[in-house]
Amino acid sequence: MSDAPKKLYIKTYGCQMNVYDSERMAEALGGQGYEQVDSPEGADMILLNTCHIREKAAEKVYSELGRYKGLKAANPDLKIGVAGCVAQAEGAEIMRRQPMVDLVVGPQSYHRLPEMEAKTQQGEKALDTDFPEELKFDHLPKGRKAKRGPTAFLTVQEGCDKFCAFCVVPYTRGAEVSRPVSRVLREAEGLVEQGVREITLLGQNVNAYHGQEGGEDWGLARLIRRLAEIDGLDRIRFTTSHPNDMEDDLIAAHGDCEKLMPYLHLPVQSGSDRILKRMNRGHTAEEYLRLIERIRAARPDILMSGDFIVGFPEETEEDFQATMDLVEAVNYGQCFSFKYSARPGTPAAERPLVDQAAADNRLQRLQALLTTQQRAAQDAMVGREVGVLFEKAGRLPGQMVGKSDHLHAVHVQCDVPVGTLARVRITESGPNSLGGTLLG
Ligand code: SAH
Ligand code: SF4
Ligand code: F3S
């Protein structure tokens, strides 16, 4: 056997948590002699880190697997694995439907990947979709990649106890679990040593974070204030939050913690109280609007972001109009909207679908309104001075691209190294990004 590193190709779908998990899986397999590559051709192992949130997302997995048939035929030693939320939801069914799959691992058990990989090398199939007592985070190799870009994700909380009637996450990710404060701090310090200047704290309900530290219970605001003390860490963000966990000290942090960026993703899903109730969201439209007033009182220039579902069972035109009214009232800077997709095992999946042509039409109208708001928020940045953290070279020669404090992509003609945090004057607003000039 040669000592050349084996090639690992990981394709990631779904949310940022999967991006974080893919990095951890690559590290876990690094110990088995795998090195990550950018293409499935010639790989020794292909891992799909999957998403189950909507039907389309889940089906993509099978079409992608179909494409690997030729690769598997050419190289019978190629191992194919499915990880993430489809793995959790469908388990062994994946191997039945697609027999060339060698390994299926759920999002809470991927620290066991090394043993699973060894099993596949013996020609066996490996399946693990447990929610083990031990936390995966505590079992992963400590060393992360030596060099990395200026931004990183850091998972601090995982799982969800909210059980919105449409959502698979409580089933695929399990109950809410928070990582202890000291581990989060150690990981953040390690990232900063590797050159990271911006950390986005991740959790399915990140603002429900309750980490333990010396017998005390820390909420997300306290964690953020402590992280802000790390020298060299310039920016902190967090996502995704639930309105009911938006506590006073977290709102206050948006006003007084300079490193906490003025952007907040706070999904509401619908503007109709009747639908919110049927979704089991636990709040009304009015309560959400009041909450946003309080957040804006603390940080007037905060950019609000959200998620909406249209065509939820029983949604009428009147309910939809209430959603449009709420969107008008909030004025989002960024927003995501989806047509309802019935997910097996969730309570709403038992209910009859609304007319699909009506749902498509509502989605179009909502997206048109959200696009207008998004563009207006971007255009309003022209003339302003913003901070930009440069992440990579732009498409034009001599150009760099980075993100503003408000998370807008900004192109600047300049010659600064990746990882530079600079003041920029915004001079133009294009369809998907801003342009500006370097100050100072
Ligand atoms: N944890 C996050 C959401 C995770 S899923 C939160 O609580 O906000 C991301 C988004 O996908 C949700 O906010 C919702 O808008 C959408 N989504 C979830 N389940 C869906 C379904 N069954 N059909 C359509 N959209 C869905
Ligand atoms: Fe899903 Fe609701 Fe939990 Fe978000 S809060 S992950 S939408 S169940
Ligand atoms: Fe998808 Fe799982 Fe994230 S279902 S959105 S990958 S938590």
Side-chain angles (χ1 to χ4, degrees):
M1 228 181 106
S2 85
D3 289 340
K6 289 185 277 186
K7 294 187 181 123
L8 169 68
Y9 173 70
I10 304 186
K11 186 164 175 142
T12 307
Y13 301 86
C15 61
Q16 290 107 324
M17 194 146 310
N18 265 8
V19 176
Y20 177 88
D21 287 348
S22 289
E23 276 189 31
R24 301 288 79 73
M25 288 195 273
E27 285 164 12
L29 287 170
Q32 306 296 107
Y34 281 93
E35 199 176 78
Q36 223 175 325
V37 293
D38 296 334
S39 131
E41 280 77 34
D44 298 289
M45 179 180 261
I46 296 175
L47 259 187
L48 300 184
N49 194 10
T50 61
C51 174
H52 201 245
I53 203 79
R54 284 168 290 275
E55 192 181 353
K56 259 194 207 148
E59 282 307 310
K60 265 189 213 159
V61 177
Y62 292 101
S63 53
E64 186 69 20
L65 285 171
R67 284 196 224 160
Y68 299 147
K69 276 205 178 110
L71 294 177
K72 186 92 173 181
N75 173 16
D77 290 335
L78 167 66
K79 304 297 175 205
I80 297 182
V82 177
C85 290
V86 175
Q88 190 62 45
E90 298 185 1
E93 179 59 27
I94 298 174
M95 289 165 172
R96 269 193 288 278
R97 205 171 142 184
Q98 191 49 270
M100 68 179 183
V101 171
D102 300 285
L103 179 158
V104 172
V105 61
Q108 304 309 344
S109 18
Y110 60 68
H111 53 294
R112 297 174 175 169
L113 263 176
E115 298 113 77
M116 295 177 74
E117 190 270 347
K119 208 168 156 189
T120 65
Q121 294 301 340
Q122 306 298 317
E124 289 173 49
K125 302 251 179 206
L127 169 78
D128 193 337
T129 52
D130 288 351
F131 288 107
E133 284 290 312
E134 81 270 11
L135 277 186
K136 63 185 175 193
F137 304 106
D138 303 345
H139 284 74
L140 291 169
K142 297 280 171 280
R144 296 177 70 154
K145 267 188 281 176
K147 250 194 139 104
R148 30 183 326 136
T151 64
F153 293 132
L154 200 176
T155 296
V156 300
Q157 180 277 342
E158 215 175 320
C160 182
D161 298 340
K162 299 278 191 297
F163 291 92
C164 298
F166 49 81
C167 183
V168 293
V169 171
Y171 312 97
T172 62
R173 295 275 168 167
E176 279 179 15
V177 179
S178 294
R179 295 178 68 192
V181 174
S182 57
R183 288 192 193 268
V184 173
L185 293 178
R186 210 182 311 146
E187 188 165 332
E189 281 158 3
L191 288 169
V192 171
E193 276 166 24
Q194 287 171 311
V196 169
R197 302 191 69 179
E198 171 180 313
I199 291 180
T200 302
L201 305 174
L202 298 182
Q204 264 94 26
N205 270 295
V206 72
N207 57 343
Y209 177 82
H210 279 286
Q212 298 303 307
E213 177 64 26
E216 277 188 75
D217 185 31
W218 287 39
L220 187 66
R222 190 165 174 194
L223 180 71
I224 289 170
R225 291 182 201 280
R226 174 64 188 80
L227 286 167
E229 290 171 12
I230 298 177
D231 277 340
L233 178 61
D234 298 314
R235 287 172 152 190
I236 302 169
R237 305 180 188 275
F238 61 90
T239 197
T240 297
S241 298
H242 192 285
N244 289 358
D245 293 314
M246 208 61 214
E247 283 166 6
D248 292 349
D249 56 347
L250 188 54
I251 296 175
H254 273 289
D256 60 36
C257 180
E258 239 177 80
K259 291 185 180 179
L260 184 57
M261 291 293 104
Y263 181 100
L264 180 62
H265 185 60
L266 195 64
V268 63
Q269 314 298 352
S270 169
S272 153
D273 287 343
R274 206 176 68 88
I275 295 298
L276 285 170
K277 203 168 174 134
R278 282 172 173 60
M279 287 178 162
N280 191 32
R281 287 289 294 181
H283 57 77
T284 63
E286 187 59 32
E287 282 162 351
Y288 179 78
L289 291 172
R290 284 277 133 74
L291 176 61
I292 289 187
E293 271 171 25
R294 287 168 53 219
I295 296 164
R296 284 193 168 138
R299 180 76 202 228
D301 73 335
I302 199 161
L303 200 129
M304 290 306 305
S305 156
D307 291 339
F308 287 89
I309 295 178
V310 302
F312 188 75
E314 296 173 58
E315 185 186 72
T316 61
E317 182 58 29
E318 199 183 339
D319 293 316
F320 175 69
Q321 204 48 56
T323 296
M324 294 291 271
D325 293 346
L326 178 138
V327 171
E328 294 277 10
V330 172
N331 194 14
Y332 288 95
Q334 170 83 55
C335 221
F336 306 90
S337 50
F338 313 96
K339 187 167 89 163
Y340 169 72
S341 167
R343 307 306 293 129
T346 60
E350 311 291 320
R351 307 174 198 165
L353 288 176
V354 302
D355 177 71
Q356 290 301 287
D360 288 331
N361 174 277
R362 286 174 200 161
L363 186 62
Q364 270 180 21
R365 281 185 282 160
L366 176 60
Q367 288 186 339
L369 175 59
L370 292 170
T371 306
T372 308
Q373 292 191 347
Q374 216 160 292
R375 188 63 204 254
Q378 215 190 270
D379 292 349
M381 300 309 291
V382 175
R384 282 183 61 171
E385 185 188 320
V386 300
V388 175
L389 178 59
F390 289 103
E391 292 175 26
K392 58 181 183 202
R395 244 182 291 155
L396 299 178
Q399 189 185 56
M400 295 292 291
V401 193
K403 293 278 166 57
S404 74
D405 301 340
H406 294 87
L407 212 52
H408 286 123
V410 183
H411 290 82
V412 179
Q413 285 300 129
C414 64
D415 180 24
V416 297
V418 164
T420 304
L421 179 59
R423 303 301 297 168
V424 168
R425 169 89 56 210
I426 301 300
T427 53
E428 56 182 324
S429 173
N432 295 308
S433 67
L434 295 165
T437 53
L438 214 56
L439 290 168

